[in-house]
Amino acid sequence: MSLNNYSAHRAGLSELQNDWGMIKAKEFINVQKVIVIDGEASLESAVQTLIQGGVSSAPIYNKEANNFIGMFDYRDMLTYVLAVKERSTILQKVPSPEIAELIRKVSNAESIPVKMASDLSQRNPFYSITEDTTLIQILDLLSTSVQRVVVANNQGSLTGILSQSLVVEYIFTRLQSYPDLQALFKKTLPELNIGKSEVISINTDRPVVDAMALLS
């Protein structure tokens, strides 16, 4: 892809046929059912919702504020468990009234609503895009630490959740339509400078809580 074509992608101005960068977000999620968790639900109930829905993350809706306040995933639950065990470095590094209240409730063995644990791990922020957002704009987000984005229609209703894996699957199953991407997928991992990050491991004799700390 040339620099001019990339700039056109970013601006949503490309007129090339079979231009993968111009695929709209709505093309990825046209058959999705969005699972939403009530912000007042308990953590246990929220985790059960993720398990039953077969998803790893879901948006949290605050009825009182009438809006979505964040995402909840398994890492948030791990961070909460570590807080109970007083092992969470994240909660120690980011002091705030909300964190202080969470720690107080944990210390007093009080019930914790899931809204208090939304993005507790600081690994799953809430990002929303419109159905007409182009793939190249989406990739700008997903190429950072963002793993998924929420898609909303013009009325503000959620119509889907777009993840890194969903984008890769969509493109891979349609490679024959995009010759430049075919060439990219034929490259090796070293050629793409992928797979060089540190491998995190732990000995089998270490406590489970230590492994959880690495995962959070």
Side-chain angles (χ1 to χ4, degrees):
M1 182 191 300
S2 70
L3 180 60
N4 288 338
N5 284 343
Y6 180 73
S7 297
H9 279 150
R10 291 285 302 275
L13 301 175
S14 176
E15 295 180 356
L16 298 175
Q17 290 186 343
N18 294 334
D19 189 342
W20 58 266
M22 296 303 294
I23 301 173
K24 302 293 181 65
K26 58 188 174 185
E27 299 297 326
F28 296 91
I29 47 89
N30 55 2
V31 293
Q32 262 196 24
K33 178 183 178 181
V34 182
I35 294 175
V36 175
I37 300 176
D38 187 336
E40 297 299 329
S42 67
L43 282 172
E44 294 81 359
S45 173
V47 171
Q48 191 64 31
T49 297
L50 295 182
I51 295 172
Q52 292 177 345
V55 296
S56 59
S57 178
I60 305 299
Y61 184 73
N62 188 333
K63 290 182 179 179
E64 184 178 346
N66 193 30
N67 62 12
F68 291 93
I69 59 174
M71 301 288 288
F72 176 75
D73 66 3
Y74 293 121
R75 272 182 169 170
D76 296 326
M77 188 62 191
L78 285 176
T79 303
Y80 167 74
V81 172
L82 291 172
V84 173
K85 294 294 185 180
E86 298 182 351
R87 290 289 303 275
S88 176
T89 57
I90 291 178
L91 299 188
Q92 296 168 5
K93 290 179 181 178
V94 190
S96 70
E98 292 79 13
I99 295 299
E101 177 64 8
L102 175 64
I103 294 176
R104 185 193 67 77
K105 283 181 173 290
V106 168
S107 301
N108 295 333
E110 296 181 28
S111 176
I112 309 292
V114 67
K115 65 182 181 183
M116 293 190 68
S118 175
D119 195 28
L120 192 61
S121 67
Q122 299 179 31
R123 302 287 189 89
N124 189 30
F126 183 89
Y127 282 95
S128 63
I129 60 175
T130 69
E131 292 183 322
D132 291 325
T133 302
T134 63
L135 176 56
I136 199 68
Q137 294 167 328
I138 294 167
L139 291 180
D140 275 342
L141 277 173
L142 297 184
S143 62
T144 63
S145 59
V146 179
Q147 298 183 7
R148 57 186 63 81
V149 292
V150 174
V151 183
N153 60 22
N154 293 334
Q155 289 72 45
S157 299
L158 302 192
T159 56
I161 296 178
L162 194 51
S163 64
Q164 295 171 333
S165 58
L166 184 59
V167 170
V168 172
E169 178 184 358
Y170 181 95
I171 292 176
F172 187 76
T173 56
R174 294 165 176 79
L175 276 181
Q176 67 277 4
S177 301
Y178 309 108
D180 55 335
L181 288 182
Q182 289 183 42
L184 179 66
F185 272 77
K186 289 179 181 178
K187 291 183 178 294
T188 64
L189 294 181
E191 287 176 324
L192 296 173
N193 198 32
I194 295 175
K196 295 184 178 181
S197 58
E198 179 186 0
V199 177
I200 300 175
S201 62
I202 190 169
N203 292 334
T204 56
D205 60 350
R206 294 278 295 279
V208 172
V209 69
D210 289 350
M212 293 173 65
L214 291 174
L215 290 172
S216 66

